[in-house]
Amino acid sequence: MPNRDLILLETVKTHRARLTSAFVFGELAERRLANDNVRRLIGGLVLAAVLCAGCVGFSFISSIRGSQAATARQQAGLGPATGPVVAADTFDRDVTDGWGTAERGGRWRLVGAGSDHAVADGAALVQLPEGQLRGGYLPEQLLDRSDLTVTLQRQDAARNGSVSAAVIGRRVSSGQDYRADVVLAADGRVALSLSRHADPTVSGGPAEDISSTVILLGADEDTEADPQPLSVRVQVTGAGPTTVRAKAWLAAGAEPSGWTVTADDSTAGLQRPGSVGLVAVRTDGADRRTTLAVSDVVARVAP
């Protein structure tokens, strides 16, 4: 026969234990067994690992896409220029004092005496007395992404002195610009480099090189040979830094696919839109003047 007193005591003990557990750990339905907690811990770790892997994968893909975009922007400047034309001049007119008005882009603003400038036979002609800057620019067109192509040719077969021509891709003021410098030496050599003018208080002051100098053509023993026309392309894009790059080639040949010289520059005062143009100077030679012909000027919005 069951001991009723013992059963009662065990029942009271069990109820007391359950009440104590409920008070300390909560109701029975809310309790978590050790196995449940371990499973939840493992599940949390797996979920965290998946989230971390997803973040790493997203960062990796974003980095690749960023690199691809940068490469695409760089490649967009290679090959022939294709951007919208904002200024162009074939010089299909006759002007005896100055360069007149471009077919597209406004009137040429001259550097130096107007009498040293003329237009004839499809070219802008500029007489270069030794040591005096001559040329022109188009102030009506202000670009922060310029792509300028011009063709240059000396008119004197005897190569009277050396000519330094600057194809300007961004002219902020008379003393501030980015340019591609082309040296047409008396011995036939042709060199290309990049430079900047950064002092707004000095008009036509000394340039500061921002790239190395590349020799495109070597000396020519036939100093009486007619100089060949040379095409020059300079591209100036962006701000802080600005990227400047240029190439030059014989106009009778194909344009190179790559850039000859490239530089990045963040000089204050030059990180804003500017106009395009060209100036030249004869650095040595006899007293007689040298004539430089400029043709096929095309300025586009760079990619």
Side-chain angles (χ1 to χ4, degrees), residues 146 148 164-170 177-183 191-198 206-216 232-237 242-248 258-265 267 270:
S146 68
L148 174 64
S164 179
V167 182
I168 301 173
R170 180 185 290 175
D177 61 56
Y178 287 119
R179 55 179 62 187
D181 295 307
V182 182
V183 176
L192 178 67
S193 62
L194 300 173
S195 66
R196 69 179 175 225
H197 282 74
E208 301 172 86
D209 292 334
I210 58 175
S211 80
S212 59
T213 299
V214 177
I215 304 298
L216 302 176
V232 183
R233 181 180 171 195
V234 58
Q235 195 178 85
V236 182
T237 59
T242 293
T243 298
V244 187
R245 45 194 182 182
K247 62 176 92 172
W259 297 96
T260 306
V261 285
T262 303
D264 291 328
D265 185 73
T267 300
L270 292 174

Side-chain angles (χ1 to χ4, degrees), residues 55-69:
C55 291
V56 171
F58 178 78
S59 299
F60 179 70
I61 294 174
S62 298
S63 176
I64 291 177
R65 293 187 63 182
S67 299
Q68 291 175 340

Side-chain angles (χ1 to χ4, degrees), residues 49-195:
V50 171
L51 291 176
C52 289
C55 291
V56 171
F58 178 78
S59 299
F60 179 70
I61 294 174
S62 298
S63 176
I64 291 177
R65 293 187 63 182
S67 299
Q68 291 175 340
T71 302
R73 287 193 297 270
Q74 182 178 11
Q75 293 296 325
L78 300 178
T82 57
V85 176
V86 293
D89 205 347
T90 60
F91 300 101
D92 187 18
R93 56 186 179 275
D94 291 322
V95 182
T96 57
D97 190 351
W99 285 354
T101 301
E103 295 160 6
R104 186 170 183 178
R107 187 171 184 81
W108 286 96
R109 178 115 13 120
L110 301 180
V111 177
S115 59
D116 287 332
H117 302 76
V119 177
D121 300 324
L125 305 176
V126 54
Q127 301 287 330
L128 299 175
E130 183 178 359
Q132 298 184 37
L133 204 63
R134 297 290 186 266
Y137 60 99
L138 297 170
E140 295 183 17
Q141 302 299 324
L142 298 179
L143 303 172
D144 60 356
R145 302 183 64 83
S146 68
D147 193 333
L148 174 64
T149 303
V150 303
T151 298
L152 308 175
Q153 184 177 18
R154 295 185 62 151
Q155 298 294 289
D156 52 317
R159 301 194 190 114
N160 177 34
S162 296
V163 171
S164 179
V167 182
I168 301 173
R170 180 185 290 175
R171 182 186 189 275
V172 175
S173 72
S174 60
Q176 296 173 288
D177 61 56
Y178 287 119
R179 55 179 62 187
D181 295 307
V182 182
V183 176
L184 308 174
D187 62 3
R189 286 179 301 165
V190 176
L192 178 67
S193 62
L194 300 173
S195 66

